[in-house]
Amino acid sequence: MKSTGIVRNLDSLGRVTLPIELRRKLHMDIREPVEIFVDGDKIILKKYEPADIFTGSQEDLIEYQGKMISRETVKRLAQLAGITE
């Protein structure tokens, strides 16, 4: 992990502002979703990119009841259920 040397304080609601330099570098727009991870004592922010809830694939996604699934997973589940060849 590489330090940026940037330090920000939390506001009264626990928010932190990402500097414009970082947002530009990561091509992040206003209101863009950010995924939050915890690794020991570290908080990791990652630009959110939707992925298949079963495989993690980011290819050929469709939304079903608020969840993302790849078309390949749908085919595999149909096969498993005996719906297709």
Side-chain angles (χ1 to χ4, degrees):
M1 192 167 13
K2 185 177 175 183
S3 173
T4 63
I6 300 169
V7 176
R8 292 288 190 260
N9 292 323
L10 293 176
D11 71 10
S12 61
L13 296 176
R15 298 175 297 199
V16 64
T17 302
L18 298 177
I20 189 72
E21 299 84 13
L22 293 179
R23 288 182 279 147
R24 285 181 181 151
K25 182 176 180 177
L26 297 174
H27 307 286
M28 296 179 76
D29 293 322
I30 294 171
R31 303 227 183 265
E32 185 138 5
V34 176
E35 202 165 4
I36 303 169
F37 299 90
V38 175
D39 182 16
D41 64 346
K42 296 175 185 70
I43 299 170
I44 300 167
L45 302 176
K46 180 180 180 273
K47 183 177 176 179
Y48 175 72
E49 300 200 24
D52 183 310
I53 61 169
F54 296 105
T55 66
S57 171
Q58 295 177 328
E59 309 270 326
D60 201 16
L61 298 176
I62 57 175
E63 185 176 341
Y64 177 72
Q65 293 189 356
K67 306 290 184 195
M68 301 306 287
I69 303 174
S70 70
R71 292 184 192 280
E72 184 60 34
T73 294
V74 172
K75 290 177 189 174
R76 289 183 184 171
L77 290 171
Q79 288 173 344
L80 184 63
I83 298 171
T84 62
E85 74 254 6

